[in-house]
Amino acid sequence: MTHIILRHHDVENIHELSVYQANGGYEGLKKAFSLGPKAVIDEVKKAVVRGRGGAGFPAGLKWGFIPGGDMQKYIVINTDESETGTFKDREILEKNPHQVIEGALIAAYAVGATKIYNYWRGEYMDAAYACEKAIKDCYASGLLGENILGSGFSCDFYNHFGAGAYICGEETALLNSLMGDLGQPWSKPPFPAQEGLYGKPTVVNNVETLANIAPILVNGADWYVGLGTDQSNGIKVVCLSGHVNRPGNYEIEMGKVTYHQLIYGEEYGQGMRDDKGFKALLPSGGSGPVVTADALDADVSFEGLNPFGSMMGSASIIVMDEDTDMVWATEKMTHFFKHESCGKCTPCREGTFWLEKLLIKINKGRGTQEDIQKLERVATQIQGKCLCALGEFATSPVLSTIKHFMDEYKAKVNTAVPVPAD
Amino acid sequence: MLKEKYAKEIESLLARYPEDKKVSAILSLMHIAQKEYGYMSQEAKEEVADILGIDPTHVLSITGFYSLYYEEPVGEYVLEICNDLACALRGADEFIDMACQKLGVQKDEITPDGLFSIKNVMCLGACDRAPMLQCNLKFHEHLDEEKFDQLIDHYRQRAAEGDDRAHEVVDKILIETHH
Amino acid sequence: MSDLVTIFVDGIELQVEQGATVVDASKRVDVDIPVFCHHPKLEPVGMCRMCLVEIGMPMRDRATGEPVLEEDGSPQINWGRGLQTGCTVRVADGMRVRTTTDVVDEARENVIEFLLTSHPLDCPICDKGGECPLQNLTMAHGLGESAFDFDSKMQNEKHVPLGELIFLDRERCIQCARCTRFQDEIADDPVIGFHNRGRALEIVTLSDPGFDSYWSGNTTDICPVGALTTADFRFGARPWELIPVASISPHGPEGANITMSTRQEAKSGGRVVIKRIMPRQNELVNEIWISDHTRFVHHFADAADRLTKPLIRKGGVLVETDWDTALTTVAEKLQAAGSSAAGLSGDRPSNEDLFAFQKLFRQGLKSHHIDLAASRIAGGDVTAQVGIASGSNLLDLGRGDVIVVVASDLHEEAPIWWLRVKQAAERGAQLVVLNVRPTRLDKFATHLVHYPVGEAVATVRQLLGAAQISDGASDQIGKIAEAIVGATNVVAFYGYEGLTYAETDVLAKSLANLLQVKNSDGHSHVGRVNNGLIAVWPHNNTQGAWDMGIHPALAPGYQSVDQPGRSAAEIYSGVQDGTVQTLFVMAADPVGDGLMNGRGLLDFLVVQELFLTETAKVADVVLPAQSWAERDGTFTNGERRVQRYYPAIQPVGESRPDWQIIEQIGHKMGLDKPHFAASLVFKKGIAAGVPQYSDMDYRSIAKVEKQYPDVGGEDLYYGGTSYENKHGLGQQWTSAAESGDVAMFTVPDVTPSAAGALPVIRTAALYTPGTLINRSDVLSPRMAQPTLHLHAADADRLSIATGDAVIVSVNGQSLQLSAHVNGAAPQGLALINGVSYAAGVLDAKIETA
Ligand SMILES: Cc1cc2nc3c(=O)[nH]c(=O)nc-3n(C[C@H](O)[C@H](O)[C@H](O)COP(=O)(O)O)c2cc1C
Ligand code: SF4
Ligand code: FES
């Protein structure tokens, strides 16, 4: 299959403007100019490009929320990518930056935005070099700046670098951070489409979401709808990591590849490392509920894991073999969420701390049966009460491992040396 | 003084944001300040505050919130090793122990020659190439003991040669490429 | 103004303004949704998650838009997914709110339990114990016991100074961000912030000097736990031992409503002492805010060096004497002087004191030689005509309205007004700032004019001219004039920065005329609610002093006298040339302020005071007066709101209320017997003798009504924020313009004050050394030091550097100042700060010492 997003696998040096253009680059933008903004939004709506940042909200709908009128509007690209196990956006922007720039320009044209900010996690600064170069080349060739390609549409593009905070991937936290504040989310409404960056209507889209846009304009929404499943149109870049032989990013058509194929397929993971048995996988970094072998035949799509109480999310698949200590893994993930909790809302701030305390205790062999119940209770107590989804995410490794691996928890507390009550 | 030394760069960074929203540039200015002072020293914070016309308390707040800023002095090369789940599944915890032992320091300590410090950090988005680390924002991936030794030698040699490119990534992206 | 929507809270139907939050709306029907981070004076943030409730909306058919009905005909409600924060959700028509369901109860328990995993249970030793929302809400909604093992509680620093005024207990902080949001949103001084993230989040400051905003004390009020305390009150007392006494700030023209928390104390010899000052809610005046000046200045009341007995000069020295001797001596001396006797008063005493004072002179001595000892700003007669109309509330100004501020640094001179003006600007009012130099208000100005030195009057005249011609001139002045004339409401403030007394008179009258210019629909900006003029008076009762007739030409109620007496300036010159021989000074220190050069050729000088001031030191008789905290009385604020204060502590020594002393002297001179109480002075004297006050008495001034947002109340969740106002919202007297047209003022000509090569003006600082403030240990270190601010270019020319000692001589007087070269002074103008020197553009000589 030829790649639609990870095109560097098929076309050498696609990060160069000339190569990108020689291979159909910026034709989508030209098409957009010829269609006019409203038709562009309609086309993207028709294609139903669900957001690749994890939440799966259709991009066309989101663009459609941007009010008309002359006020300043913004496109913000979410390149924060900090979820454990996620590394696709870096590769896309490093190897095929123009496709993201083009997608963002089409979005900007469609909603009437004249400034695009690309918010990178600070750790990706080195990887941003290709993008910096691409921006420069675009300005030099009239693809950015005043009156782009004589269309009358003008737009600027700026890279902006964060400084290490997972929460800045949440769109409102990202916007706060971009405005020079602490990267803490705000309580929605207002949604960014109403009051986003600097209080102005703003579209926040994931890198991969935007990378889908130009091909859709070039090939038409019908082509895109023809790919994937009913609920999951098009293709998806999955990040495969953990105990597989060949971790990495793979582009797949949604609904056409199972998790099993991803792990064992020759063109994908090429099997479990050291030929160990499979135990479990996290389908969406730390934040999606863990699934076990029975889910391996599910296909990778937004709906594929529904029967298993989990979800595709950003498709950051962390694979764990039979030797993996699941309580240890849960502590790792919980530590991540505790470390990254911004502290703004009570249940997340206090709850993640409490969860980690309990897990450390259990892992150290000091836990009791009661602590497992407590763990479950605290996680449940966090649910439905947080300001943003981070707190909710933090509960999923805990609750899903308790569900699937209660025996491992029990084994830990049963060997526990009894300790005096606190 | 950052204001004088990086006048052009600061101006170009500030130019990315609307007239009355220059505080948006704070993170980039702090990356530059940290390159200059090694960590977010009092001076660094005050200078950033001064450039943006804000209270230094705000810079302090930001310093504490984002993990890439250091509140205490660090080695010239900060080795930030990811040991988050995906990396840990591929031996990152052991790798950190090995690295600490090799350099003879604990996490967050500075080697006696002032060259290195080691930190463990959360996911850096390179899980498929674990174990990995970032050194002053430069990624080094697919590591093992041997490659780690080479890396350390490489930086030691650089330091011995008086190379001033310790912060080459910030230089490349925030200093040299301003437009 | 705003549209009403109908909502149902726990089945109770209510109408409430669109845009209200669910939490605030529910309070209207006494449903208390618990909150921690929410505060109705701050923007909602929804971070503590305490206020989670169920919120539903009537469903509508997608196709028809018609409401979907249940079988019984009631609207079908979509309860959404899960709980929502009542503090961020705004009401909408038909909304249903459920606050008493099991899920809601459980959420509250859960959130409290989470909070208590960090918060210590040290209520018995906490300053907030007894008035703590967390304590209250834990009792009401907590679990009783927690599954958390409290060994793993946060161990954290307990007493972190955030500056010299405010201390932080890190363990107690529940990260609600009320304090940081207050400093940012309300005070515009974001000098505290959060540090770190997650559970390590803590409040920090890096400001130099620390957390030292003019408003910092308010953060201790709104902190929902005992995490923030003032240096003053920390461990001072348990809130439940305190007796609250309603009062009015003795500082500033805004008339901030306060409550003094008092307690009888063994260590003070069994005396009742003031332990702290907190705001008392008055949405019309100060809402729930007070400046740190008001919060901490009270220490003068029980300062160790208060005068306790009358003093009389014997053999060249002042010795203690009894009241009768002192009063008899004064009465005899005054009577002997008769109509040549002169009286000077400060503008801090109560209306009762001031009324009695002028009565003693006018009726007892037939003398009109009375004036304010330090008259900086004219125009009481102007505000009496066109002052801000009664019933006005600066809180109501916003979009469509204009506020003009001329020649005043409101932030330093009247911080509460600064706050309210700034907030009106943030609500959309156009703010016009005219001054000779930049101030902290500039940032919020829609139109900003820094006029050249000496041209204040000319600038306002231009503005008036432009408004009267209204030729649509597009220059800045033309635009401002257009904005003013066309505005829905206009309030104009004027001060005295860089102006002489005579200039302020012209300014007041020109502004008055400007406000009277009618717009196209025949409206002018006087005599209507939320319109009119406000003078930025220097003290808490300058307005009252004008009203009571402390003026050589104006008797009480602004009645002109046939033969005006000597003005203060004329009295001072009379003291030097011997034409004034007998002088009574009440609550003022003209010698200390450099207005009077010793006792000159006076034959007799009596001083009535709290302290042995410079003037008292050269007096023949010194009469010890009670401070405002020891008695009751009324002050009239700059919006002409008459407000009562109540006695909080016992009198110091043998001191007596000013009005009583004066009436006792009068009685010895043959006037009426002294009244028994201040209320009677008000009723029999003021209400009868000052027409504007004729419809007032102590009861009408003390009227209260329910105020929204309900912050001062004794509910669970704003506990400790401020005191409920049970003692009076005050009463504003009606300006002349409210009952009919007033004439345009004839504006006198005035020569702008002379300016030499480098003109100098005095600028005000909130903490300027003075008799009262000097006695506050908390404030004295933050006093503005006598300083000369110079622009770098001027400093260069004069070869003066920061830190140099300089002598500035003005009108034969030398001031010792320290030079400061910075951005505060514009080029070509020097500023002197930290001295209580008179106003105007000064032709001063600057030399290095
Ligand atoms: C804690 C948290 C972290 C997130 N991190 C990311 C991220 O790194 N990248 C991303 O694109 N979206 C992230 N999201 C989702 C964004 O909030 C937002 O939905 C997304 O950027 C929208 O883009 P899309 O519609 O194109 O997916 C995160 C959300 C949460 C709650
Ligand atoms: S100190 Fe008080 S007001 Fe400030 S965040 Fe903590 S609890 Fe809230
Ligand atoms: S979240 Fe509503 S009061 Fe804090």
Side-chain angles (χ1 to χ4, degrees):
Chain A
M1 154 181 158
T2 45
H3 291 83
I4 296 166
I5 306 257
L6 303 177
R7 292 185 68 197
H8 52 286
H9 290 302
D10 310 326
V11 184
E12 211 177 320
N13 294 329
I14 189 110
H15 65 278
E16 303 273 3
L17 178 57
S18 54
V19 179
Y20 183 68
Q21 278 178 313
N23 287 278
Y26 292 101
E27 289 305 317
L29 180 62
K30 287 181 200 155
K31 180 77 180 293
F33 290 155
S34 72
L35 286 173
K38 189 173 171 311
V40 172
I41 297 186
D42 287 343
E43 194 70 10
V44 176
K45 273 187 186 164
K46 194 169 155 203
V48 197
V49 193
R50 296 180 62 179
R52 304 298 199 246
F57 192 83
L61 273 187
K62 195 187 277 189
W63 299 3
F65 292 149
I66 298 291
D70 281 343
M71 76 278 256
Q72 177 71 54
K73 294 160 202 167
Y74 297 100
I75 303 291
V76 173
I77 309 174
N78 190 341
T79 315
D80 191 62
E81 192 166 64
S82 307
E83 172 88 38
T84 318
T86 316
F87 40 83
K88 63 190 176 69
D89 297 340
R90 173 165 78 120
E91 180 166 336
I92 297 171
L93 267 169
E94 201 171 13
K95 306 290 190 192
N96 189 11
H98 284 289
Q99 194 163 325
V100 180
I101 297 175
E102 186 178 1
L105 272 172
I106 294 169
Y109 173 71
V111 304
T114 55
K115 294 211 183 301
I116 300 167
Y117 288 99
N118 185 11
Y119 186 103
W120 295 75
R121 64 179 301 188
E123 295 90 336
Y124 280 1
M125 207 182 280
D126 197 25
Y129 188 70
C131 183
E132 282 281 323
K133 167 109 185 0
I135 296 169
K136 256 190 203 160
D137 292 346
C138 284
Y139 273 103
S141 350
L143 285 160
L144 280 173
E146 294 296 311
N147 191 15
I148 294 170
L149 301 176
S151 63
F153 170 66
S154 303
C155 192
D156 287 311
F157 189 110
Y158 306 102
N159 279 331
H160 178 103
F161 296 95
Y166 163 66
I167 187 60
C168 291
E170 195 285 335
E171 55 187 4
T172 59
L174 182 153
L175 293 174
N176 270 334
S177 175
L178 183 45
M179 292 189 277
D181 255 323
L182 295 185
Q184 295 184 320
W186 71 67
S187 160
K188 295 186 267 194
F191 289 91
Q194 310 160 300
E195 283 174 42
L197 186 60
Y198 309 125
K200 300 291 192 296
T202 303
V203 169
V204 182
N205 267 139
N206 171 260
V207 171
E208 186 190 346
T209 311
L210 291 171
N212 276 286
I213 302 299
I216 289 173
L217 284 197
V218 171
N219 301 313
D222 292 334
W223 159 78
Y224 195 78
V225 172
L227 296 171
T229 69
D230 281 357
Q231 293 176 46
S232 308
N233 290 346
I235 48 181
K236 178 81 191 87
V237 178
V238 300
C239 316
L240 192 61
S241 66
H243 292 142
V244 291
N245 280 321
R246 205 171 65 131
N249 286 315
Y250 299 99
E251 184 172 316
I252 57 150
E253 186 180 340
M254 281 192 278
K256 300 295 152 64
V257 179
T258 62
Y259 286 92
H260 188 276
Q261 275 171 290
L262 266 184
I263 295 172
Y264 295 98
E266 203 40 42
E267 64 272 54
Y268 307 115
Q270 294 180 351
M272 297 293 292
R273 212 174 51 167
D274 303 331
D275 283 330
K276 291 259 177 65
F278 169 88
K279 186 182 222 172
L281 68 78
L282 286 156
S284 179
S287 58
V290 75
V291 294
T292 50
D294 58 341
L296 283 181
D297 290 331
D299 61 61
V300 183
S301 64
F302 282 103
E303 65 276 22
L305 286 177
N306 287 356
F308 304 93
S310 192
M311 58 187 205
M312 175 181 81
S314 54
S316 331
I317 301 162
I318 305 176
V319 179
M320 289 169 280
D321 67 21
E322 56 191 338
D323 293 343
T324 312
D325 174 343
M326 292 311 289
V327 186
W328 165 86
T330 308
E331 184 189 320
K332 278 270 177 200
M333 288 178 276
T334 305
H335 174 72
F336 172 81
F337 290 116
K338 184 211 93 176
H339 189 266
E340 300 299 329
S341 167
C342 78
K344 185 167 178 172
C345 81
T346 311
C348 175
R349 179 184 67 235
E350 307 292 336
T352 54
F353 171 85
W354 197 352
L355 290 178
E356 191 193 26
K357 278 240 151 197
L358 289 166
L359 281 159
I360 290 175
K361 192 173 165 199
I362 295 170
N363 271 320
K364 280 200 173 141
R366 293 180 54 232
T368 61
Q369 181 67 35
E370 206 178 86
D371 287 325
I372 306 176
Q373 285 156 8
K374 233 188 249 181
L375 200 56
E376 199 168 2
R377 178 164 86 67
V378 174
T380 322
Q381 199 165 312
I382 295 173
Q383 286 184 319
K385 300 189 190 69
C386 298
L387 194 154
C388 86
L390 192 150
E392 210 73 33
F393 291 170
T395 66
S396 94
V398 172
L399 293 175
S400 63
T401 51
I402 288 182
K403 177 171 140 203
H404 294 294
F405 301 102
M406 184 52 125
D407 49 336
E408 291 193 29
Y409 280 94
K410 282 201 175 137
K412 291 217 175 187
V413 300
N414 286 341
T415 58
V417 190
V419 280
D422 306 292
Chain B
M1 291 282 277
L2 301 172
K3 218 176 177 162
E4 283 90 46
K5 185 162 175 195
Y6 299 105
K8 260 199 348 239
E9 291 79 3
I10 291 172
E11 194 189 329
S12 104
L13 285 170
L14 292 177
R16 296 180 183 187
Y17 310 99
E19 206 37 62
D20 53 340
K21 313 286 182 198
K22 296 302 181 197
V23 66
S24 275
I26 189 165
L27 300 181
S28 296
L29 296 185
M30 288 170 69
H31 281 303
I32 295 179
Q34 182 154 286
K35 157 191 147 70
E36 196 62 23
Y37 290 98
Y39 73 107
M40 285 307 294
S41 62
Q42 181 73 11
E43 237 173 329
K45 284 182 260 199
E46 278 169 10
E47 285 192 38
V48 171
D50 180 50
I51 294 169
L52 294 171
I54 55 175
D55 195 279
T57 303
H58 187 65
V59 188
L60 173 63
S61 275
I62 299 280
T63 309
F65 190 87
Y66 294 95
S67 61
L68 283 179
Y69 302 124
Y70 312 126
E71 306 211 54
E72 302 291 330
V74 286
E76 192 172 340
Y77 293 94
V78 187
L79 307 173
E80 294 185 315
I81 307 175
C82 170
N83 69 339
D84 222 338
L85 179 64
C87 278
L89 291 173
R90 302 179 79 86
D93 285 324
E94 297 74 18
F95 185 78
I96 291 189
D97 292 344
M98 181 276 300
C100 285
Q101 205 183 356
K102 281 257 151 96
L103 292 178
V105 287
Q106 302 283 312
K107 275 181 243 176
D108 297 319
E109 281 177 6
I110 308 173
T111 53
D113 57 5
L115 269 190
F116 299 101
S117 37
I118 293 186
K119 291 180 181 292
N120 79 271
V121 296
M122 298 293 99
C123 181
L124 290 171
C127 330
D128 52 337
R129 304 159 196 201
M132 62 82 59
L133 62 79
Q134 108 185 318
C135 172
N136 297 0
L137 300 182
K138 182 118 197 125
F139 279 21
H140 301 277
E141 302 166 327
H142 295 300
L143 294 179
D144 53 26
E145 189 170 340
E146 190 188 329
K147 287 198 185 136
F148 181 77
D149 289 342
Q150 287 168 4
L151 192 67
I152 295 300
D153 286 347
H154 168 72
Y155 284 129
R156 284 217 168 105
Q157 198 177 338
R158 264 199 187 186
E161 290 164 3
D163 193 312
D164 62 355
R165 287 177 301 137
H167 297 274
E168 57 192 315
V169 174
V170 173
D171 286 341
K172 192 167 70 176
I173 302 297
L174 294 180
I175 306 285
E176 284 155 23
T177 64
H178 60 90
H179 40 254
Chain C
M1 196 170 69
S2 43
D3 297 334
L4 293 181
V5 297
T6 301
I7 68 165
F8 300 82
V9 181
D10 295 333
I12 313 169
E13 178 176 343
L14 80 145
Q15 266 81 39
V16 55
E17 307 93 58
Q18 186 124 39
T21 63
V22 167
V23 161
D24 292 335
S26 301
K27 279 212 75 109
R28 301 264 174 172
V29 287
D30 293 325
V31 171
D32 281 0
I33 299 174
V35 299
F36 286 118
C37 67
H38 181 62
H39 194 285
K41 295 285 179 189
L42 301 171
E43 286 298 317
V45 285
M47 58 198 273
C48 75
R49 319 304 287 176
M50 188 61 205
C51 64
L52 292 168
V53 289
E54 288 185 83
I55 292 177
M57 286 300 293
M59 301 225 278
R60 282 183 184 278
D61 187 286
R62 259 177 209 270
T64 63
E66 289 300 307
V68 184
L69 300 182
E70 299 279 5
E71 272 168 23
D72 65 359
S74 62
Q76 203 172 357
I77 304 298
N78 174 6
W79 287 99
R81 279 185 296 154
L83 301 170
Q84 297 189 60
T85 44
C87 71
T88 59
V89 175
R90 313 261 177 194
V91 294
D93 208 31
M95 181 181 274
R96 305 294 199 274
V97 180
R98 289 201 294 228
T99 78
T100 54
T101 54
D102 288 349
V103 254
V104 172
D105 277 350
E106 197 183 315
R108 290 177 184 175
E109 276 172 21
N110 291 170
V111 172
I112 293 219
E113 187 182 22
F114 279 135
L115 283 172
L116 294 181
T117 61
S118 288
H119 189 88
L121 298 176
D122 59 351
C123 309
I125 57 151
C126 176
D127 288 303
K128 201 84 168 186
E131 51 186 30
C132 170
L134 178 57
Q135 195 181 23
N136 290 340
L137 291 173
T138 303
M139 312 259 207
H141 304 287
L143 259 186
E145 64 179 278
S146 172
F148 190 77
D149 52 4
F150 286 95
D151 274 2
S152 29
K153 250 197 190 173
M154 292 279 266
Q155 302 285 313
N156 232 327
E157 287 167 284
K158 301 274 304 168
H159 312 299
V160 187
L162 289 179
E164 288 170 33
L165 292 179
I166 307 294
F167 282 75
L168 168 70
D169 182 320
R170 292 219 152 110
E171 277 182 2
R172 289 186 191 148
C173 173
I174 58 164
Q175 289 91 359
C176 71
R178 277 193 190 175
C179 56
T180 52
R181 287 182 288 139
F182 170 85
Q183 281 302 128
D184 188 16
E185 291 172 28
I186 309 274
D188 186 41
D189 202 7
V191 293
I192 48 174
F194 274 125
H195 186 234
N196 295 327
R197 66 184 181 214
R199 203 156 182 274
L201 219 55
E202 58 187 21
I203 301 291
V204 289
T205 183
L206 202 66
S207 205
D208 183 26
F211 177 22
D212 203 346
S213 137
Y214 282 175
W215 304 100
S216 47
N218 294 294
T219 60
T220 67
D221 302 335
I222 61 173
C223 176
V225 291
L228 294 177
T229 41
T230 64
D232 213 26
F233 180 62
R234 233 156 54 89
F235 310 128
R238 312 259 59 77
W240 59 85
E241 307 163 352
L242 297 172
I243 298 167
V245 180
S247 191
I248 300 296
S249 169
H251 173 79
E254 311 100 299
N257 288 213
I258 56 175
T259 294
M260 305 197 220
S261 302
T262 63
R263 186 175 75 167
Q264 194 174 14
E265 246 175 30
K267 71 168 185 251
S268 310
R271 272 181 62 80
V272 172
V273 293
I274 303 169
K275 296 304 293 181
R276 66 173 181 189
I277 294 223
M278 275 180 60
R280 179 166 52 107
Q281 185 177 20
N282 191 337
E283 292 296 306
L284 300 157
V285 177
N286 55 308
E287 302 170 41
I288 54 163
W289 314 124
I290 54 175
S291 70
D292 282 359
H293 193 302
T294 290
R295 191 179 298 267
F296 298 121
V297 80
H298 67 88
H299 291 284
F300 72 82
D302 34 28
D305 58 344
R306 275 282 300 277
L307 293 168
T308 53
K309 273 176 171 290
L311 305 175
I312 194 158
R313 190 167 296 279
K314 279 217 177 104
V317 288
L318 286 171
V319 293
E320 288 184 355
T321 184
D322 59 275
W323 270 110
D324 199 52
T325 313
L327 295 174
T328 310
T329 311
V330 174
E332 279 169 3
K333 286 289 187 180
L334 288 180
Q335 240 169 343
S339 65
S340 77
L344 291 169
S345 169
D347 37 8
R348 295 183 188 277
S350 71
N351 290 322
E352 293 73 10
D353 303 335
L354 295 163
F355 186 83
F357 189 69
Q358 65 82 33
K359 185 174 164 195
L360 180 75
F361 278 83
R362 290 215 162 90
Q363 282 186 25
L365 300 166
K366 305 283 178 280
S367 163
H368 289 302
H369 305 313
I370 48 174
D371 205 349
L372 287 176
S375 322
R376 288 196 170 124
I377 165 169
D381 47 340
V382 183
T383 54
Q385 303 278 306
V386 300
I388 187 167
S390 56
S392 298
N393 184 351
L394 294 174
L395 260 186
D396 293 338
L397 294 176
R399 202 163 296 284
D401 304 328
V402 169
I403 297 180
V404 185
V405 179
V406 191
S408 174
D409 182 351
L410 281 185
H411 189 255
E412 304 293 331
E413 295 170 28
I416 297 275
W417 285 342
W418 175 85
L419 202 91
R420 285 162 73 85
V421 166
K422 159 194 176 271
Q423 290 182 343
E426 287 169 341
R427 285 190 298 269
Q430 291 195 52
L431 174 60
V432 179
V433 176
L434 312 177
N435 205 351
V436 69
R437 60 160 188 123
T439 69
R440 272 187 82 136
L441 203 54
D442 291 9
K443 180 173 166 187
F444 304 96
T446 329
H447 305 280
L448 179 63
V449 179
H450 290 156
Y451 46 72
V453 185
E455 291 190 19
V457 166
T459 308
V460 176
R461 280 197 162 138
Q462 274 173 29
L463 195 54
L464 176 59
Q468 282 167 330
I469 304 163
S470 94
D471 58 355
S474 63
D475 63 335
Q476 196 186 14
I477 293 287
K479 277 196 197 139
I480 298 174
E482 197 183 339
I484 292 174
V485 177
T488 316
N489 301 302
V490 181
V491 172
F493 290 84
Y494 72 100
Y496 52 91
E497 186 169 289
L499 301 178
T500 58
Y501 188 80
E503 283 176 304
T504 59
D505 187 42
V506 175
L507 190 62
K509 288 173 176 158
S510 310
L511 282 172
N513 288 347
L514 177 63
L515 292 172
Q516 292 194 67
V517 174
K518 290 191 162 66
N519 68 11
S520 47
D521 24 294
H523 275 316
S524 76
H525 296 299
V526 298
R528 283 194 296 128
V529 166
N530 294 333
N531 285 272
L533 188 63
I534 297 178
V536 186
W537 303 122
H539 290 120
N540 56 305
N541 205 25
T542 318
Q543 179 71 49
W546 278 89
D547 298 351
M548 298 304 120
I550 306 296
H551 195 283
L554 297 170
Y558 301 92
Q559 299 160 50
S560 301
V561 301
D562 294 341
Q563 282 229 305
R566 285 172 182 261
S567 69
E570 287 160 351
I571 293 172
Y572 294 132
S573 60
V575 168
Q576 301 310 320
D577 66 19
T579 47
V580 171
Q581 298 240 319
T582 302
L583 179 63
F584 191 154
V585 176
M586 172 171 84
D589 183 18
V591 175
D593 290 346
L595 297 167
M596 192 167 95
N597 197 358
R599 58 180 286 159
L601 299 178
L602 281 177
D603 172 52
F604 181 74
L605 172 63
V606 50
V607 172
Q608 187 165 303
E609 253 302 348
L610 303 181
F611 299 100
L612 196 65
T613 59
E614 295 306 310
T615 314
K617 283 181 192 159
V618 297
D620 298 293
V621 175
V622 179
L623 305 171
Q626 287 173 6
S627 78
W628 107 116
E630 290 147 70
R631 56 199 176 107
D632 61 351
T634 59
F635 295 143
T636 307
N637 80 355
E639 296 181 77
R640 300 185 328 287
R641 179 173 297 279
V642 184
Q643 308 190 93
R644 274 181 74 178
Y645 60 85
Y646 297 79
I649 55 175
Q650 297 115 309
V652 168
E654 295 176 16
S655 63
R656 294 178 180 177
D658 292 274
W659 60 265
Q660 193 179 52
I661 303 173
I662 294 161
E663 288 194 339
Q664 284 165 346
I665 297 168
H667 188 47
K668 288 196 187 284
M669 287 169 19
L671 293 180
D672 297 340
K673 266 181 41 190
H675 291 99
F676 286 119
S679 60
L680 294 171
V681 182
F682 193 94
K683 188 170 168 185
K684 301 259 165 72
I686 298 175
V690 186
Q692 291 84 348
Y693 288 59
S694 61
D695 61 344
M696 294 182 208
D697 58 31
Y698 267 29
R699 218 173 301 154
S700 68
I701 304 171
K703 275 213 186 94
V704 286
E705 54 188 60
K706 183 115 178 121
Q707 302 186 76
Y708 288 101
D710 183 359
V711 171
E714 288 172 356
D715 63 24
L716 290 173
Y717 57 90
Y718 296 125
T721 293
S722 87
Y723 274 96
E724 186 175 358
N725 198 332
K726 296 179 185 157
H727 288 87
L729 300 175
Q731 196 173 343
Q732 228 170 352
W733 58 264
T734 44
S735 65
E738 290 171 64
S739 36
D741 277 354
V742 296
M744 283 288 199
F745 289 86
T746 326
V747 183
D749 265 332
V750 66
T751 357
S753 26
L758 182 59
V760 179
I761 64 170
R762 170 193 179 268
T763 62
L766 183 61
Y767 306 147
T768 298
T771 309
L772 307 186
I773 191 176
N774 291 354
R775 266 102 188 154
S776 166
D777 286 347
V778 185
L779 293 180
S780 52
R782 22 198 60 71
M783 218 83 86
Q785 296 306 311
T787 309
L788 176 74
H789 293 272
L790 291 171
H791 186 271
D794 297 316
D796 263 5
R797 204 164 35 76
L798 295 167
S799 315
I800 291 175
T802 293
D804 285 357
V806 287
I807 294 174
V808 179
S809 16
V810 203
N811 307 346
Q813 254 198 68
S814 342
L815 300 169
Q816 280 267 9
L817 304 164
S818 151
H820 198 79
V821 182
N822 66 0
Q827 189 165 357
L829 178 66
L831 313 175
I832 57 177
N833 195 232
V835 294
S836 58
Y837 193 78
V841 180
L842 312 170
D843 186 8
K845 216 171 91 210
I846 300 173
E847 301 163 306
T848 32

